[in-house]
Amino acid sequence: MFFVNFLDRVSISFAGPSGMNHDLGLSAAQFGFAAGIFFIGYIILEIPSNLALHRFGARVWLARIMVTWGIVTVLFTWVQNVHQLYWLRFLLGIAEAGFFPGAILFLSLWVPQRFRSQVLASFYIAQPLTIVVGSPLAALLMQLHGLTGLAGWRTMYLGVGALAVIVGIVTFFLLPDRPSEAKWLTQGERDWLKAELAQEDGVPRHASPLHALTNGRVWLLSIVYFGLVYGLYAIAFFLPTIIAGFQSHAGVHFGVMQKALITAIPYLPAAIVLFLWSRDATKRGVRAWHVGIPAIAGAVAIPLAVQVSDTVAVMALMTVVACAIFAALPVFWSIPSRFLTGGAAAAGIALINTVGNVAGFVAPYITGYLKGATGGYQLPMLIVGVFMALSAVVIFSLTLKPTPPEAKANRASRVAS
């Protein structure tokens, strides 16, 4: 589900340099605004959608979200001008609102705290793999333009939108809302999981949605997430365009599939680093430096990436940035549920995601605008570095009590038995 979610969200980055910008007559600023306006609709309904999921259950609500955004994505197939593109991106944000924080909330209701960072990593690995697998998939769909009679980028929108509708329907029938409904668990496993989660419910945590919305730690975590998301989407939306620019500098021509494969290069190592870094957080217990060190690495690497002229060096630095961002994100999302539960968790997680995704609008727009105004990516990427550095400063300023490492918790459990 997350794979399809991120694929639909960033499909505009594949479509732009592959004919959409030319066909619709988009400038860099217009492309950036179209990429970012998605997050305006997303932000408006983020918290209400997550509270609705808490009330109605994940199976119904997540399935509804997926089918809705799939239908909107299909409509991109017939977009004719920049204004229609703006409206559809806005509607796509409304349709997708609540999916990601809803999934994080859903997993927090299933997984005990000491296993959560590793499980979130297994979930979050879909995001870098979306680029690794999604880029060639998008390229393959775009190469079917002769079969469908549509421009390649339009065919891609039709394919990824239909995929979301199909997965949404499957979700409605297969996703259980709670462990007691999971047919793959034995009765003993259900009892163990219920006891583990019940024990955590005895730990004092905030449960009021209003308290979450006024909690200082929630707002500071929102700032941290803002900086990380700013870096994520500045790269996700503009890396294919930057790669297309390699052609003019090097005097070579990349085909659609070649561009897709080059775009995927930073994300495969990012998926590996994500897994290993989250496993370390699980073993040691989550600490502030598990988020802060990657944020610093990204803050340094991304401005350097646009200062060098060698293509290999650029891709190497972009790979460092991708590894840094994806190492930090799943560990970060294990933090809010340590002091929030129930309605507060639904509201707090949604608030953090909402504030963070303001960067999803700001980053593409500012990046596109400054690129058009200055003629290069030096200044926009410097700003990305500043925001990632801010994330590091704020996370180190927070006092985070380390989560108990999984290994120690398991030994304690065996001793108790």
Side-chain angles (χ1 to χ4, degrees), residues 144-388:
L144 296 177
H145 57 88
L147 181 64
T148 62
L150 298 168
W153 63 271
R154 296 182 187 273
T155 304
M156 181 204 64
Y157 273 122
L158 180 63
V160 297
L163 180 61
V165 173
I166 292 169
V167 175
I169 294 171
V170 171
T171 296
F172 180 80
F173 290 103
L174 294 185
L175 183 69
D177 280 314
R178 53 188 65 87
S180 61
E181 300 173 3
K183 296 180 181 179
W184 66 83
L185 294 177
T186 66
Q187 186 59 48
E189 289 168 339
R190 293 191 194 101
D191 292 342
W192 175 86
L193 187 54
K194 182 179 178 180
E196 286 285 315
L197 295 170
Q199 184 178 7
E200 288 185 1
D201 286 341
V203 178
R205 288 182 289 173
H206 303 299
S208 165
L210 180 60
H211 190 283
L213 298 179
T214 57
N215 186 285
R217 279 191 293 179
V218 170
W219 282 99
L220 288 173
L221 288 173
S222 299
I223 294 172
V224 175
Y225 191 53
F226 180 95
L228 296 174
V229 170
Y230 196 101
L232 173 64
Y233 284 112
I235 295 175
F237 286 129
F238 281 92
L239 182 56
T241 303
I242 293 171
I243 289 170
F246 290 162
Q247 299 177 90
S248 59
H249 293 116
V252 296
H253 175 73
F254 298 135
V256 173
M257 184 59 74
Q258 289 173 309
K259 291 179 187 175
L261 293 174
I262 294 171
T263 301
I265 288 173
Y267 293 93
L268 183 57
I272 296 171
V273 170
L274 179 156
F275 176 79
L276 295 175
W277 193 256
S278 297
R279 188 168 69 173
D280 182 82
T282 299
K283 289 181 178 180
R284 297 175 186 269
V286 175
R287 291 169 168 83
W289 58 261
H290 280 110
V291 177
I293 290 177
I296 292 171
V300 172
I302 197 163
L304 289 177
V306 291
Q307 299 296 330
V308 297
S309 56
D310 181 72
T311 302
V312 174
V314 171
M315 293 306 298
L317 287 165
M318 284 294 189
T319 300
V320 171
V321 176
C323 290
I325 293 172
F326 286 109
L329 285 172
V331 180
F332 170 85
W333 279 115
S334 70
I335 296 172
S337 58
R338 289 161 60 178
F339 60 93
L340 299 172
T341 188
I349 290 170
L351 175 62
I352 293 169
N353 199 52
T354 297
V355 174
N357 278 293
V358 170
F361 170 73
V362 173
Y365 180 70
I366 290 180
T367 301
Y369 176 81
L370 291 178
K371 196 274 179 183
T374 64
Y377 284 99
Q378 285 79 9
L379 181 57
M381 292 301 123
L382 177 61
I383 292 175
V384 175
V386 169
F387 277 114
M388 292 193 69

Side-chain angles (χ1 to χ4, degrees), residues 1-2 50 53 58 62 98-109 120 123 349:
M1 292 166 69
F2 193 24
N50 217 36
L53 181 142
L62 292 180
F99 171 77
F100 178 77
I104 296 295
L105 174 64
F106 175 70
L107 290 173
S108 73
L109 299 175
L120 288 175
F123 170 70
I349 290 170

